[in-house]
Amino acid sequence: MFRVFGYVRVSTENQLENYSIDEQIERIKGYCTAKGWELLKIYTDGGFSGGNMDRPALSQMLLDITAGGVDAIVVYKLDRLSRSQKDTLTLIEDKFLPNGVDFISINENFDTSTPFGRAMIGILSVFAQLEKDQITERFTMGRIGRGKAGYYHGGPTPPTGYDYKDGLLVVNEYEAAIVREIFSLFLAGKSINSIVSHCRSRYPLKWSAAKVAHILRNSVYIGKVKYAGVEYDGIHEPIISVDDYEKALQLFSSAQRENRKTTSQKTPFRAGYLLSSLVFCARCGARYSANHGYYRCYSRAKSSKRFIVDPNCKNDNWEIGTLDNYILSQIRTLLDQEEALQAVISRSVPAEESSPVHKEKIQKRISEIDLQMGHIIDLYQIGSIPMEEIAKRAKALEAERKSLQSQLEHKPIPSVQRFLDSLDAFRQGFSGSDMDTKRMYVASIIEGIYIDGNTVSIKWRV
């Protein structure tokens, strides 16, 4: 008698297609009875995707095939075996046929015991692969569409400060207050470790340095969502202001290093010095460490092998007090001399932004925006576009117009304004602050200090 194994599979999406487990089993049993075949066993994979072969029942069936005693595998439909063209052909040509086992699909009405059936397997497996690819594409496009629409894609576990309800992020006021406190402490100069200790002593949540660092860098708190590396405006309520978030990003690199242990073997910078994490070797690119009264290039000091860039580097050491005083004098020069400040700012602003040609282009674009605003008003009056769409277009045009107008009026660009604000904060608060806060003030103004022998170059955050 012709002996066969049955194989059935279903996933959530297939339940909607009437390919339920019971239905498939019933069809296979009826088919074998009509053919007079002996159905030895039915292998069932419930809730497994057909996109791969990592399925327990399928794996067991393949083992049983090698033991012999079976003539064919019967499925209700080809894609029950696999939705992958490669996997389908691999199973039939490398697993079934070499063991003398044919493959039969009831729905497509063919089997591999005939030449035509073998040809049809290849053709239909192409369409199974196409269907799988189309499902994947629709899923991906749907996710991208949700991202563009502002919906969060982080799954059922929301970021601290939010609850996830009905597919939306909703502010959890208790946790949101903690998030705001974390940003406030960080911007006040506190290290990540000290913030972790503070939170552990006050709030019954799990806290770690990684969790605090993630909160400080997560743009979801300013109303953003991300999908596939692209950031979109979210529809959820922000917890942190954009200004505070950007300041935290500026300070994060130095604060992150202060969070490490302070031994010279395990940190590129010993905490407790004014210029921690800011000084670099202009010759080999290594950092400068602060110890024994000097800032020293790691490559030359060789105090930690993993921070050595060029073991032959001979760049100069700088006495800590000398370099600290020099950098502070450069900052105070910007505070006291308008010409020096404008020179720094001008180097950060592209020359074309102040050229007559550039201003003419700006004015032309403003005129175009005014015309477009007039057209939008006309469309509103005749009712040809929904109010939501009109409001969206008008808001975008108005934002662009304000930005262009500010350029004509010589208003500082955002990065310049943040730099000026940081200088003003330094002027008001540096002198009476502790070392943590002083480092914060300096790091908010300076991105890097580069040593080349007796020459010191400063990269300002503007």
Side-chain angles (χ1 to χ4, degrees):
M1 179 177 286
F2 198 71
R3 295 164 299 177
V4 302
F5 286 156
Y7 177 77
V8 298
R9 179 188 65 81
V10 72
S11 60
T12 302
E13 64 191 55
N14 301 138
Q15 296 282 3
L16 302 177
E17 300 171 5
N18 296 319
Y19 299 153
S20 68
I21 294 292
D22 292 341
E23 181 69 17
Q24 292 177 63
I25 291 175
E26 191 66 28
R27 295 291 182 91
I28 290 173
K29 286 182 176 179
Y31 186 82
C32 291
T33 299
K35 290 285 189 178
W37 296 344
E38 181 181 1
L39 181 59
L40 301 175
K41 184 177 181 179
I42 293 180
Y43 297 83
T44 302
D45 276 318
F48 288 88
S49 168
N52 60 67
M53 294 193 292
D54 186 17
R55 291 169 258 159
L58 177 62
S59 299
Q60 184 60 52
M61 184 178 73
L62 294 177
L63 288 175
D64 293 346
I65 284 174
T66 61
V70 61
D71 299 306
I73 303 298
V74 180
V75 300
Y76 169 63
K77 195 170 185 287
L78 177 62
D79 63 7
R80 299 304 88 199
L81 180 67
S82 176
R83 286 186 180 273
S84 164
Q85 175 186 357
K86 179 182 177 181
D87 290 348
T88 299
L89 297 180
T90 295
L91 288 169
I92 294 173
E93 295 182 357
D94 296 346
K95 302 294 184 181
F96 299 166
L97 298 182
N99 286 288
V101 177
D102 286 317
F103 174 70
I104 299 168
S105 173
I106 299 172
N107 191 72
E108 285 83 9
N109 195 29
F110 64 83
D111 63 71
T112 58
S113 63
T114 67
F116 181 76
R118 295 190 184 188
M120 286 302 296
I121 285 291
I123 295 172
L124 290 176
S125 63
V126 171
F127 286 96
Q129 176 72 29
L130 175 62
E131 182 178 1
K132 174 179 178 292
D133 291 343
Q134 287 176 329
I135 290 173
T136 301
E137 181 180 8
R138 287 196 297 270
F139 177 77
T140 302
M141 291 299 292
R143 298 274 289 184
I144 293 174
R146 280 181 57 84
K148 289 182 176 180
Y151 289 91
Y152 177 69
H153 283 291
T157 303
T160 303
Y162 291 97
D163 294 323
Y164 193 63
K165 298 179 179 179
D166 300 323
L168 300 173
L169 287 181
V170 179
V171 174
N172 179 314
E173 291 299 341
Y174 173 75
E175 293 184 0
I178 300 174
V179 170
R180 295 186 189 101
E181 186 175 4
I182 288 173
F183 272 84
S184 177
L185 291 170
F186 187 70
L187 293 176
K190 299 299 181 182
S191 68
I192 291 179
N193 268 348
S194 66
I195 295 173
V196 171
S197 298
H198 173 83
C199 291
R200 285 175 177 171
S201 67
R202 299 188 61 181
Y203 306 114
L205 301 173
K206 291 184 179 181
W207 295 100
S208 66
K211 180 174 182 176
V212 171
H214 179 69
I215 287 174
L216 292 168
R217 291 183 294 182
N218 195 344
S219 62
V220 73
Y221 296 115
I222 58 170
K224 301 291 185 179
V225 294
K226 286 183 179 180
Y227 180 70
V230 181
E231 192 170 80
Y232 305 99
D233 290 331
I235 60 175
H236 60 279
E237 180 183 346
I239 292 176
I240 301 299
S241 71
V242 174
D243 186 55
D244 283 350
Y245 176 74
E246 291 179 347
K247 286 180 180 177
L249 288 185
Q250 285 184 355
L251 298 176
F252 187 81
S253 59
S254 59
Q256 183 183 43
R257 291 179 175 86
E258 289 176 9
N259 186 44
R260 300 176 181 170
K261 292 182 180 180
T262 59
T263 59
S264 60
Q265 290 77 17
K266 295 186 178 182
T267 177
F269 236 90
R270 192 182 289 271
Y273 297 96
L274 181 66
L275 305 181
S276 293
S277 81
L278 293 176
V279 187
F280 298 83
C281 177
R283 296 181 182 177
C284 73
R287 289 189 175 276
Y288 264 58
S289 64
N291 50 64
H292 303 298
Y294 287 89
Y295 290 109
R296 305 170 187 266
C297 172
Y298 257 109
S299 293
R300 180 177 179 180
K302 298 180 176 62
S303 56
S304 181
K305 291 183 179 180
R306 66 191 183 111
F307 296 122
I308 296 174
V309 177
D310 178 6
N312 298 316
C313 183
K314 301 297 182 184
N315 207 351
D316 292 10
N317 299 329
W318 273 71
E319 196 272 327
I320 290 175
T322 300
L323 187 59
D324 287 356
N325 290 333
Y326 175 77
I327 296 302
L328 291 177
S329 71
Q330 295 300 301
I331 295 175
R332 292 190 175 102
T333 297
L334 299 186
L335 293 171
D336 298 335
Q337 298 180 19
E338 182 66 23
E339 290 183 2
L341 175 60
Q342 291 304 320
V344 169
I345 292 174
S346 65
R347 287 196 294 270
S348 70
V349 179
E352 64 268 17
E353 289 198 11
S354 59
S355 68
V357 174
H358 181 73
K359 291 181 179 180
E360 183 179 339
K361 289 181 179 179
I362 291 177
Q363 190 59 65
K364 181 179 179 181
R365 177 56 185 158
I366 289 176
S367 298
E368 292 173 353
I369 290 174
D370 290 339
L371 287 174
Q372 291 179 33
M373 290 290 283
H375 292 326
I376 288 177
I377 293 173
D378 292 339
L379 292 172
Y380 167 70
Q381 291 176 341
I382 63 176
S384 62
I385 295 183
M387 174 56 72
E388 294 81 2
E389 182 65 24
I390 289 175
K392 189 193 316 183
R393 292 188 189 182
K395 185 178 180 180
L397 288 172
E398 181 60 24
E400 183 182 358
R401 193 184 193 286
K402 285 183 178 179
S403 175
L404 294 171
Q405 192 65 43
S406 69
Q407 294 182 46
L408 289 180
E409 296 172 358
H410 304 288
K411 291 182 179 180
I413 59 177
S415 62
V416 174
Q417 187 60 59
R418 286 195 298 270
F419 183 67
L420 295 175
D421 291 343
S422 296
L423 283 173
D424 187 56
F426 178 95
R427 185 199 303 273
Q428 297 181 36
F430 182 83
S431 296
S433 299
D434 57 24
M435 183 56 73
D436 274 348
T437 307
K438 285 183 176 180
R439 279 200 301 274
M440 182 272 291
Y441 281 127
V442 173
S444 70
I445 296 170
I446 295 176
E447 184 172 335
I449 300 164
Y450 298 87
I451 304 296
D452 188 358
N454 293 321
T455 303
V456 178
S457 302
I458 300 174
K459 184 177 181 181
W460 304 97
R461 289 191 183 276
V462 62

